[in-house]
Amino acid sequence: MSISRAQIELSSRCNFKCITCKHGYSEYGEDLSFAVCDMLINDVLPGLDVLELQGTGESLLCTRTRDFIKAASANNVEITLITNGSLLDDDIIKELVMAGTQLVLSLDGSNETLYAKHRPIGNFSKIIGNIERLNTIRQMNATTGFSLVVNMVLTKLNCNDIPEMINILSKLKVDYLFVSEVRECMPDSKVWGNINLLAESASLEFKAKIEDCKLLAKNKGISFGFNPNTKPNGIKKNICEAPWKHIFVSANADVSVCCELGTVFGNLYKHTLSEILSNENLFKFRSNMINGNYDNHCITCCLPWGLPY
């Protein structure tokens, strides 16, 4: 079976404790083993169209991240790296730029106060400085196809901050602002009650504000996207290609077909990738999708190739 997109969590460790993430409430994490990394680099990566380095952890904590970047560049594989931006230095920035990476950097506020409320360990000034360094190096290598995306998790605490984010990111020459309404992934129900936007985002006033932000971003020369917590229009297509063409490998070597899916189909410490991709459970999952019996994660998927899009 030909895999076109691999989402790989090289590390589930993180150096931040964000309030919108499980890492904000518990200590956990590990790195994907060298042996599995070698297998993915040698056997899977050369045949890919797209490689995404992402997950619940910070990929740059893993010592193998740069190996994946170099291999993707050598094989002309599109690469996306999601990061909190704290560990970027000139060397890794140059490698990312030269590889034509889509760098997705998490930033949840336009100022130190709002940023600290969401990311109490992070340093807002350092992240802004790293974005400025990125632009300096990018300007010296303008033909590589590198792009910079800022991901903003939207909560009750920062829901009025999008216009100012657009203004600041425009000055910082960011290419794209992706605003994602907070989802319930933290274990603390009180925190969820204090920060979720389920009531607000259903209102006409909120939807009008998002449309105003789209117009402002367009006028400022920034692409803009908004991902709501719920998809009011439901399923827009019958089949998602992920169960046939994608894999998600967690830092513990569990394998699924999507980072949004809670179902695990095997583990690379116990089985080969070929065995996992041809096992009975995955066959049943594919059959269920063909017959319209969708997993709930698929119905509420936030990814652009998912059923709601």
Side-chain angles (χ1 to χ4, degrees), residues 40 134 298:
L40 292 169
L134 273 162
C298 299

Side-chain angles (χ1 to χ4, degrees), residues 16 22 35 58 63 67 69 72 107 111 114 117 123 129 155 160 168 196 202 205 232 234-235 262 278 281 286 306:
F16 276 22
K22 291 183 288 185
E58 171 54 49
T63 58
D67 294 334
I69 294 167
L107 190 69
N111 57 63
L114 278 177
K117 286 181 178 179
N123 184 319
T155 71
N160 294 316
I168 286 178
N196 81 76
E205 180 183 3
I235 294 172
S278 59
N281 289 335
R286 293 172 182 144

